[in-house]
Amino acid sequence: MNLIAHVEIPVLDLDRAIGFYSSVFGVAFGRTVQVHDSTMAYFPFEPGRDGASGALAQGPEYAPATTGAVVYFSVDDVGATLDKAVALGSTILFLASAVTERGMVAEISDSEGNRIAIQSR
């Protein structure tokens, strides 16, 4: 059993965040959904596959932060992903470093000021 079921990333400007995550990670978001007083844009998710579901979340209870939990995104090429993120205004918070013989990890800021991590598959 995978313990983590769902992650929500706080955003201030949902359209800007959708643009950032779409460009950096090459994903398409479906329609947005209203949940209580918040608006959610869900990342693509396939039930039965590895990984948790996730959403960008804009609302009164959501505040972007550089402290606290860090969401890790799995990518094919950490360097190429860093290049895309920096071109969109990201700051590199933790330089790409080897974590295994073939694996790399780095941390960046997203368009909303959250600290997120990227790691190679």
Side-chain angles (χ1 to χ4, degrees):
M1 173 181 92
N2 292 322
L3 182 60
I4 306 298
H6 182 75
V7 174
E8 293 174 350
I9 299 172
V11 304
L12 299 173
D13 183 323
L14 190 58
D15 290 331
R16 177 178 60 207
I18 288 170
F20 176 85
Y21 282 89
S22 294
S23 296
V24 172
F25 297 106
V27 297
F29 290 85
R31 63 182 176 85
T32 58
V33 177
Q34 291 296 128
V35 179
H36 304 290
D37 293 334
S38 301
T39 306
M40 305 282 176
Y42 291 94
F43 287 96
F45 178 73
E46 292 182 44
R49 304 247 348 235
D50 287 342
S53 64
L56 301 175
Q58 179 180 348
E61 300 298 319
Y62 294 97
T66 57
T67 59
V70 178
V71 177
Y72 281 69
F73 289 85
S74 182
V75 299
D76 289 327
D77 184 334
V78 169
T81 303
L82 284 175
D83 290 344
K84 290 178 194 174
V86 168
L88 292 169
S90 282
T91 300
I92 296 175
L93 304 174
F94 180 84
L95 294 173
S97 300
V99 290
T100 65
E101 220 173 85
R102 295 184 314 238
M104 300 288 290
V105 67
E107 292 183 3
I108 60 172
S109 62
D110 71 3
S111 61
E112 308 307 294
N114 293 298
R115 185 176 105 213
I116 62 172
I118 52 177
Q119 72 179 36
S120 55
R121 293 184 172 95

